[in-house]
Amino acid sequence: MYVIETDKLTKIYGELVAVDHIDLKVREGRIYGFLGPNGAGKTTTISMLVGLVAPTSGKAFIKGIDVQENPIEVKRIIGYLPAENGLYPHMTALENLLFFAKFYKIPKNEAEKRANELLDLVGLKEAKNKRVGEYSTGMKQRAALAQALINDPEILFLDEPTSGLDPRGAHEMRELIKELKKEGRTIFFSSHILPEVDELSDDIGIIVSGKLVAQGSKEELKQMILKDNIRILVETEEPLPDLGNFGIVKPLRENKAIIYTKDDCRKELLHFLLSLGLHVVDIHLIEPTLEEIFMKVAYGEEVI
Ligand SMILES: Nc1ncnc2c1ncn2[C@@H]1O[C@H](COP(=O)(O)OP(=O)(O)OP(=O)(O)O)[C@@H](O)[C@H]1O
């Protein structure tokens, strides 16, 4: 069973189909990166998954619970970090967390213990009694993450968690996300930053103009665009001859060439090239980057 699953989830604003019949499948304990350009529909999707926006059609399920039918039950097991954090600036971080703990009816003693532990986790132990309005952007974002964790959720939704953070703040946030995964939580986060999605995600969904154009593990996405092609970079001082069944040669600058083959025939190919008396300097597999995957599935740009 998937912990997050949608069935043709759709949101239409007037003429605009913001989210278009998407079928998300998120496995337990994984980090799922929801990648898409600005305006693709990421926030709208997350808002429907956490029960803040009603779908026009389709359904969303969290651990098999229908979000529309049982929003309170769902809210108990999820945490949500919105794109714009919802902390009260005139209150301290500790006060903010205790305030939110009341919504979950967490007993006072337990709430205090948990709030302190969480503020410690996000590195705000020293600043917990400072008003949030005086925090830096990075501190605010970490406090908002602590708030999203107050009910000890199994599933976390993070909407652009590093948005607006400087490189150090973004790094700290990514490290925290990895820690939260180690605790066994499932994390669904949105981002338009390719290296960030690549670094954090086990699985990736790519959304463009409201449509989920690809979904799967990084390995699956690579296979999807490469099919059975293997690319081999060869450095040679001689132009390569026609390789026949071994594959296609694409000459590059500086005496380099890429060979595209259908099967993993590196060994045979190497023998063949050597038998031709060619001086092969280097031969290795090149894997597609997430950027290449994204450009291919989002915009149809050829990888080779
Ligand atoms: N309440 C609304 N009313 C009308 N249109 C909306 C509303 N909310 C979102 N939209 C539109 O729906 C589309 C998807 O927006 P959404 O915020 O979900 O995208 P996003 O992928 O999160 O973008 P970003 O990365 O810029 O935050 C956009 O064209 C946006 O203008």
Side-chain angles (χ1 to χ4, degrees), residues 42-303:
K42 302 182 296 293
T43 297
T44 307
T45 302
I46 293 184
S47 303
M48 289 192 281
L49 293 173
V50 301
L52 286 177
V53 164
T56 306
S57 63
K59 284 191 170 297
F61 300 93
I62 305 292
K63 287 194 94 184
I65 307 164
D66 187 321
V67 178
Q68 278 284 95
E69 283 173 17
N70 299 296
I72 306 231
E73 211 179 316
V74 166
K75 283 195 176 74
R76 239 179 251 137
I77 54 171
I78 66 168
Y80 170 47
L81 176 73
E84 307 284 330
N85 84 58
L87 298 165
Y88 292 107
H90 62 280
M91 284 164 43
T92 70
L94 185 59
E95 286 166 351
N96 263 288
L97 262 66
L98 294 176
F99 181 74
F100 281 94
K102 282 189 196 153
F103 289 117
Y104 295 101
K105 301 193 168 59
I106 303 171
K108 200 163 174 274
N109 281 352
E110 202 186 310
E112 269 177 23
K113 183 169 175 281
R114 180 135 189 86
N116 277 298
E117 279 169 4
L118 287 171
L119 290 167
D120 199 3
L121 173 79
V122 299
L124 292 173
K125 194 177 183 175
E126 308 299 325
K128 68 182 176 188
N129 292 318
K130 219 169 137 176
R131 289 189 321 153
V132 167
E134 292 163 29
Y135 278 9
S136 69
T137 310
M139 289 164 83
K140 278 184 192 146
Q141 194 69 338
R142 282 184 279 132
L145 180 64
Q147 180 200 303
L149 291 163
I150 194 71
N151 58 329
D152 196 13
E154 291 172 52
I155 303 157
L156 261 180
F157 291 94
L158 312 175
D159 195 352
E160 308 232 6
T162 61
S163 173
L165 302 186
D166 63 19
R168 186 166 170 226
H171 172 77
E172 285 169 355
M173 180 57 70
R174 288 196 297 273
E175 292 307 306
L176 276 169
I177 292 171
K178 290 177 198 165
E179 279 306 308
L180 294 168
K181 181 201 159 164
K182 280 190 203 146
E183 292 175 4
R185 298 179 215 272
T186 306
I187 295 155
F188 184 100
F189 80 101
S190 69
S191 176
H192 59 264
I193 306 163
L194 282 155
E196 174 171 292
V197 173
D198 205 9
E199 178 187 334
L200 286 176
S201 312
D202 300 307
D203 300 314
I204 296 169
I206 299 179
I207 184 169
V208 180
S209 304
K211 288 193 170 66
L212 190 68
V213 293
Q215 175 174 234
S217 67
K218 269 189 269 189
E219 229 15 75
E220 285 164 348
L221 292 186
K222 280 176 193 168
Q223 289 307 319
M224 194 188 294
I225 65 157
L226 283 180
K227 298 199 172 65
D228 53 359
N229 283 320
I230 290 170
R231 304 189 300 164
I232 299 167
L233 178 68
V234 183
E235 285 186 15
T236 168
E237 285 164 12
E238 304 289 334
L240 288 171
D242 183 0
L243 294 179
N245 289 340
F246 276 128
I248 307 157
V249 177
K250 184 182 171 191
L252 301 175
R253 278 177 302 160
E254 293 165 3
N255 296 336
K256 287 198 179 81
I258 294 182
I259 302 167
Y260 300 101
T261 69
K262 289 251 177 282
D263 302 299
D264 190 353
C265 56
R266 277 171 291 172
K267 245 187 203 166
E268 295 87 328
L269 184 59
L270 193 56
H271 279 300
F272 178 69
L273 294 172
L274 290 173
S275 76
L276 290 174
L278 288 174
H279 178 52
V280 179
V281 182
D282 187 25
I283 178 164
H284 64 262
L285 272 176
I286 306 166
E287 297 217 303
T289 63
L290 183 57
E291 185 173 356
E292 287 175 309
I293 294 171
F294 179 74
M295 295 310 284
K296 168 76 181 167
V297 298
Y299 304 112
E301 285 191 12
E302 278 310 317
V303 174

